[in-house]
Amino acid sequence: MTVRLHWFLPTGGDGRTLVDRHAYSGNTLDPSRRPSGVRAPDIAYLAQIVKAAEQLGFEAVLTPTGTWCEDAWLTTVALAQHTERLKFLVAFRPGVISPTLAAQMAATFQRVTRGRLLLNVVTGGDSAEQRRFGDHLGHDQRYARTDEFLSVVRGVWSGRPYDFDGAHYQVEGGLTALPPDPLPEIFFGGSSPAAGPVAARHADVYLTWGETPAQVKDKTDWIRGLAEREGRTVRFGIRLHTISRDSSAEAWATANRLLDDLDGDTVAAAQAALGRSESVGQQRMLALHGGSRAGLEISPNLWAGVGLVRGGAGTALVGSHAEVADRIEEYHALGIEHFVLSGYPHLEEAYWFGEGVIPILGSRGLLSHTRTGGGAPLLVAGGR
């Protein structure tokens, strides 16, 4: 098992700060308080990121879903035209579209991009966010619906008429006339008791946020056991930010600089909002730091500072290139195959990781191939 590396596509905006990554939209932040260096997620900028990711040797880019980002399907199919090999890990929410339509969209995407689609199923852990899209089910009901949704998707991919009669979906003769080839791998995350059995039945790759190695081992052991009872094998991935530099001191200085932008009111407001999430995974992220700036290095080179203000993945690998490679090797030894990484800003951090860490992983025999591209970045933005 080799390490498979993926990057992140910031379709909710990017920049040199953790403060309100949606500030580009103009109506979400008082202009007098808007942080400098915030970048709108237009196609021109996102194309620079995907070209860099492809050049540096990342296999795919993850695209988020939700209110504060561009639509993942439309954005990625547009960006596919700017790349040749890069895959797109498209996040989407069951329940807001028909499973038969989702299966058809995936099949079309595979043909348009010549097989470069991966799917990230996001069941949703925030009822307020779900209601914006017309979804009024509770947390556990959403996972039950996801279970049915994925059963239908896989059923209609068979190329034969498929019937399904469930609590949430009733399908008669569901059909994808031209099934996707290859079938997209399904990435799935969830830390609640309701999520585990769904992952065991349907996920190709179970994706966890970046907890400590001991916590990750406990979670993968749990999912592996559930999958074995289903007669299945599930692979594993982890979602992390990264701050990798030529020296450890430089990396930690960058992490501390990100904290300098965060005043107490900003952190308190973010923690209050995140604390209302129904997501068990989100609550586990919050527990790593407890809202405090003290003791943010929760494991060697694993920093929980991002989670002070950012929902979802809240930890970063911080250190020299060799130290970051060490931590990836440590997670890999636990059975983690896929590493979905990101950093602020995403263009520059892709180069720091791609030119610093990827060659080390390659020299250790952890990669099936090493592509370091070389050459100057497509854009060098002013930083501090």
Side-chain angles (χ1 to χ4, degrees):
M1 180 183 72
T2 58
V3 167
R4 300 174 69 175
L5 299 170
H6 314 284
W7 197 243
F8 185 80
L9 199 59
T11 59
D14 198 10
R16 302 190 303 274
T17 176
L18 298 178
V19 178
D20 198 346
R21 64 192 189 282
H22 318 301
Y24 77 90
S25 63
N27 61 358
T28 60
L29 197 66
D30 182 340
S32 67
R33 298 180 58 209
R34 190 175 304 160
S36 61
V38 172
R39 304 171 189 174
D42 55 48
I43 288 295
Y45 177 62
L46 296 176
Q48 292 183 72
I49 295 175
V50 297
K51 289 178 180 179
E54 182 169 81
Q55 178 191 21
L56 292 164
F58 292 97
E59 179 179 343
V61 287
L62 168 63
T63 305
T65 185
T67 301
W68 307 110
C69 53
E70 301 288 6
D71 176 76
W73 293 96
L74 294 174
T75 302
T76 53
V77 79
L79 291 170
Q81 311 310 305
H82 295 268
T83 55
E84 297 178 0
R85 300 176 305 278
L86 191 72
K87 296 179 182 178
F88 295 90
L89 180 49
V90 175
F92 75 99
R93 293 180 176 176
V96 299
I97 60 174
S98 151
T100 305
L101 176 59
Q104 184 182 49
M105 291 166 63
T108 300
F109 198 112
Q110 285 294 63
R111 285 188 289 280
V112 169
T113 65
R114 297 180 177 86
R116 292 192 279 150
L117 175 66
L118 307 170
L119 292 174
N120 181 33
V121 178
V122 181
T123 299
D126 183 341
S127 289
E129 169 77 358
Q130 295 299 122
R131 288 193 295 270
R132 294 190 187 108
F133 292 89
D135 179 13
H136 293 265
L137 291 185
H139 178 276
D140 288 2
Q141 288 178 302
R142 291 197 292 270
Y143 279 102
R145 182 181 58 196
T146 295
D147 195 356
E148 292 189 9
F149 184 99
L150 292 175
S151 294
V152 174
V153 167
R154 291 198 184 276
V156 301
W157 276 345
S158 69
R160 298 180 300 274
Y162 177 79
D163 295 338
F164 185 87
D165 186 15
H168 301 279
Y169 297 105
Q170 297 80 44
V171 175
E172 297 180 9
L175 178 68
T176 300
L178 294 174
D181 184 19
L183 295 180
E185 289 184 295
I186 293 177
F187 287 63
F188 181 93
S191 299
S192 70
V198 182
R201 281 190 286 270
H202 298 287
D204 296 304
V205 179
Y206 176 82
L207 190 61
T208 181
W209 288 328
E211 299 179 5
T212 66
Q215 290 172 308
V216 168
K217 182 180 185 304
D218 287 343
K219 190 178 285 188
T220 57
D221 286 348
W222 169 53
I223 296 296
R224 188 177 290 110
L226 292 174
E228 286 174 356
R229 290 177 214 161
E230 297 286 339
R232 299 186 70 244
T233 300
V234 175
R235 302 189 306 280
F236 296 97
I238 193 167
R239 175 79 180 88
L240 289 157
H241 304 281
T242 179
I243 303 174
S244 174
R245 295 293 186 270
D246 294 336
S247 71
S248 182
E250 290 178 83
W252 285 108
T254 300
N256 290 329
R257 195 273 300 162
L258 289 173
L259 285 186
D260 290 342
D261 286 337
L262 307 179
D263 58 42
D265 289 343
T266 298
V267 173
Q271 290 297 292
L274 295 172
R276 292 190 290 270
S277 173
E278 299 166 346
S279 165
V280 173
Q282 182 63 72
Q283 298 310 313
R284 289 170 69 105
M285 283 283 102
L286 296 178
L288 294 176
H289 53 69
S292 171
R293 296 172 188 250
L296 288 173
E297 189 178 4
I298 57 174
S299 186
N301 305 107
L302 184 64
W303 182 65
V306 179
L308 290 174
V309 291
R310 186 196 190 281
T315 54
L317 298 178
V318 180
S320 67
H321 304 308
E323 288 172 334
V324 170
D326 289 343
R327 300 287 76 78
I328 289 175
E329 190 167 4
E330 181 179 10
Y331 282 115
H332 181 254
L334 298 176
I336 300 297
E337 178 180 357
H338 295 264
F339 291 79
V340 184
L341 307 171
S342 55
Y344 297 93
H346 289 75
L347 181 61
E348 287 90 327
E349 288 297 337
Y351 276 98
W352 278 113
F353 185 92
E355 296 175 340
V357 181
I358 287 180
I360 295 174
L361 295 174
S363 71
R364 296 180 183 181
L366 294 174
L367 303 177
S368 59
H369 65 280
T370 302
R371 295 178 52 85
T372 55
L378 299 172
L379 170 69
V380 179
R384 56 188 175 91

